[in-house]
């Protein structure tokens, strides 16, 4: 910072912060200590606000001192990092990176997506393409200033096809001869491929956008708890979390079935008396496919000393998977296995309910005050739900996202729910770092970062949508595949919305999350649990539900959890990606915080669960379950879900009593799964 007198610094601090005298003294101290200007200090303060997860922290002496301590720790970390980089350069500045042959994270590009500069290519204003300077020490040899960019290896474009520029709209053929269909040439855009409650009418958009938001969004999840430190798990904490879940289910089952304490026992202990044992389904071997022969019951340390016992299931019919909490009745006569005679039902959570006065308030918000208003499509809520990826593997044009925003504008959507990944780590071009950015005068070629790319490709169309419909609410749920989220484990903290240039109408929430949209309780998770359950599920005897897409969500409802499977499926068994190694990200679970994925208070009205399985909309245990499918497939356009939700009509008895009444969303919501 250039030398300035104290009065000059004080005047600038007054302009940027408007502090009181005590705070002003602390701010001046920080400026002098770190040799930064008041303007730069203000931007660091804004970043600190976002890091703490609050829109605006109170500007007082304790918070400024905490901010000062955070700055000092950051400087120390950067100094250590630079010292480490210098030592690496001395050992071999020109050595071949060790991960290069494996197609891995060669230059540590994933360490911090907000400060790392990738190999971005920005079209020049004159002609040709000017490559961005690679700022990583020991990086690849830079291209000539006006050299035509080479085709990225990750895109695997056929030699006879057009060169890859990351934004091409033409069809392409990969090395295996598979053709990817250009978005402009997609078949049947706007076609409805599945409808639930088709007897209800589709929402009729108004002539002009609504003057104010018709949706009140409330988080039913404590978002602050998701700001834990990832990858700092202790085995003792993880084992306690797993044990506590078994013990909690035992208490629920005992109360539901009216059992005495003497009815429960240790399934691993030999005996001739029939007992009820509660435990977790597991496999006796970490390798091979999970099946009935390898199935064991794992008990908690309190009830069964943490022992495992094989199960004999010849006389029962049920659906099992690893991690499932079950209550079994039977006998262990031999001491070698537990013979199951009955499987006790796990009680479901009570359905979500609200007071009639609350429902009337939300109905008035929608303009439904008379009896004749409740069946009018124009009085209904209009929601659009989509999940990533949001662009095909061969480009970063994000055309499906633009088309979705256009659809939301045309229909005057009340709420747009965007489920990650937004910037996908499994996208070939993002994984290789070979990006092309649109021409933008605000970007300096040698300082462009992933944040700049996100602002131009993702935030820009959302900003335009928010300007066109000021009353819209946009909800963004991250994914463990999102490049822009440093929180890599599940459960996962929210995206830093303000830093990414998203509009004020965009609300950042965690993954998973439970929110209330007016009175409607909605549970959302970006993790594809349905696909993993399909791989791990073992059906013994005749299943109670023959429809797979209805049976899998029932496991989540019965287990009261967004991800009841444990352990997750091996990454190599998940759908292949378009990257060089083709291995999926998988589910990096932090077991110590699995409780953040539980359903605690009530059964949700709607469960939004994106999956690689076929898209669907079904009613399961009075819960509306929606899988919108990906908005963009790897080689073509995908689908989204459009919901028309009518107001909850109250009877005279309900209105007079002002008691708690169920929302019954599954009766008054029309769901259309639509091709983008």
């Amino acid at each position: 910072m250039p030398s300035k007198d104290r009065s000059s610094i004080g005047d600038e601090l007054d302009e940027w912060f408007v502090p009181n005298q005590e705070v002003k003294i602390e701010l001046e101290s920080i400026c002098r200590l770190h040799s930064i200007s008041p303007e730069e200090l203000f931007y660091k303060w804004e970043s600190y606000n976002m890091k703490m997860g609050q829109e605006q922290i109170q500007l007082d002496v304790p918070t400024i001192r905490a901010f000062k301590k955070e700055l000092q720790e950051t400087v120390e970390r950067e100094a250590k990092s630079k010292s480490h980089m210098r030592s690496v350069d001395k050992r071999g500045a020109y050595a071949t990176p060790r991960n290069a042959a494996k197609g891995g994270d060669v230059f540590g590009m994933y360490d911090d997506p907000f400060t790392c500069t990738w190999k971005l290519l920005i079209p020049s204003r004159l002609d040709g393409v000017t490559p961005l300077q690679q700022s990583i020490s020991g990086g690849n040899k830079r291209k000539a200033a006006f050299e035509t960019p080479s085709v990225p290896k990750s895109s695997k474009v056929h030699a006879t096809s057009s060169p890859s520029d990351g934004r091409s709209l033409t069809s392409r053929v990969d090395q295996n001869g598979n053709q990817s269909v250009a978005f402009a040439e997609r078949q049947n855009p706007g076609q409805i491929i599945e409808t639930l409650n088709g007897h209800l009418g589709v929402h009729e958009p108004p002539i002009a956008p609504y003057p104010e938001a018709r949706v009140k969004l409330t988080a039913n999840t404590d978002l602050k708890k998701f700001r834990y430190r990832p990858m700092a798990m202790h085995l003792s904490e993880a084992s306690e979390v797993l044990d506590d879940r078994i013990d909690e289910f035992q208490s629920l089952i005992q109360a539901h079935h009216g059992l005495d304490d003497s009815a429960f026992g240790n399934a691993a202990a030999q005996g001739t008396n029939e007992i009820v044992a509660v435990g977790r389904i597991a496999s006796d071997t970490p390798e091979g496919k999970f099946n009935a022969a390898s199935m064991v019951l794992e008990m908690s340390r309190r009830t069964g000393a943490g022992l495992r016992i094989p199960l004999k299931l010849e006389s029962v019919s049920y659906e099992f998977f690893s991690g499932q909490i079950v209550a079994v009745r039977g006998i262990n006569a031999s001491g070698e296995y537990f013979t199951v005679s009955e499987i006790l039902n796990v009680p479901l959570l009570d359905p979500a309910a609200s007071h009639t006065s609350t429902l009337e308030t939300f109905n008035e918000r929608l303009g439904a005050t008379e009896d004749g208003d409740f069946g009018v499509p124009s009085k209904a809520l209009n929601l659009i739900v989509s999940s990533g990826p949001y662009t095909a593997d061969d480009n970063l044009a994000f055309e499906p996202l633009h088309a979705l925003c256009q659809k939301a504008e045309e229909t005057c959507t009340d709420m747009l729910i965007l489920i990650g990944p937004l910037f996908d780590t499994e996208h070939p071009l993002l994984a290789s770092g070979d990006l092309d950015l649109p021409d933008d005068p605000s970007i300096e070629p040698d300082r462009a970062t992933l944040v700049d790319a996100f602002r131009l490709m993702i935030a820009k169309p959302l900003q335009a949508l928010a300007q066109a419909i000021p009353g819209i609410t946009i909800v963004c749920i991250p994914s463990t595949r999102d490049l822009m989220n440093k929180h890599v484990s599940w459960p996962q903290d929210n995206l830093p919305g303000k830093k990414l240039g998203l509009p004020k109408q965009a609300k950042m929430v965690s993954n998973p999350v439970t929110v209330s949209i007016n009175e409607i309780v909605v549970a959302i998770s970006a993790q594809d649990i349905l696909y993993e359950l399909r791989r791990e599920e073992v059906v013994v005897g005749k299943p109670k539900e023959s429809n797979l897409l209805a049976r899998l969500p029932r496991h989540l409802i019965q287990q009261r959890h967004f991800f009841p499977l444990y352990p997750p499926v091996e990454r190599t068994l998940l759908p292949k990606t378009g990257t060089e190694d083709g291995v999926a990200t998988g589910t990096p679970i932090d077991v110590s915080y699995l409780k953040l994925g539980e359903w605690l208070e009530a059964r949700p009205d709607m469960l939004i669960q994106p999956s690689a399985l076929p898209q669907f909309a079904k009613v399961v245990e009075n819960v509306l379950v929606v899988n919108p499918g990906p908005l963009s497939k790897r080689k073509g356009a995908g689908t989204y879900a459009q919901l028309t939700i009518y107001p909850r009509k109250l009877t005279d008895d309900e209105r007079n009593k002002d008691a708690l009444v169920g929302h019954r969303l599954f009766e008054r919501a029309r769901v259309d799964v639509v091709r983008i």
Side-chain angles (χ1 to χ4, degrees), residues 155-158 173-179 634-635:
S155 61
K156 299 182 180 179
V157 179
H158 193 270
V173 181
D174 64 17
Q175 293 176 345
N176 299 320
N178 298 320
Q179 184 174 7
R634 288 182 54 195
K635 298 184 182 298

Side-chain angles (χ1 to χ4, degrees), residues 55-106:
E55 290 294 327
Q56 190 66 41
I57 300 177
Q58 184 178 358
L59 194 65
D60 53 23
V61 174
T63 56
I64 289 298
R65 287 176 178 172
F67 169 54
K68 183 177 182 180
K69 181 179 179 182
E70 175 71 15
L71 277 181
Q72 186 61 35
E73 291 174 352
T74 302
V75 170
E76 292 174 359
R77 285 196 301 268
E78 290 177 352
K80 291 180 181 178
S81 176
K82 291 178 181 178
S83 174
H84 173 71
M85 290 299 293
R86 284 195 295 269
S87 65
V88 170
D89 290 342
K90 290 178 181 178
R91 290 196 298 268
Y94 303 100
T96 303
R98 282 176 287 181
N99 290 344
K102 300 179 182 179
D105 182 17
V106 178

Side-chain angles (χ1 to χ4, degrees), residues 249-260 263-264 276 278 318 326-329 342-348:
F249 265 71
Q250 179 166 322
S251 299
L252 290 171
I253 290 165
Q254 182 176 4
H256 179 71
H257 292 278
L259 300 174
D260 294 331
F264 295 90
V276 174
V278 180
Y318 207 70
V326 296
V328 293
R329 190 193 301 274
E342 182 187 359
I343 299 176
L344 279 65
N345 292 328
V346 177
L348 301 179

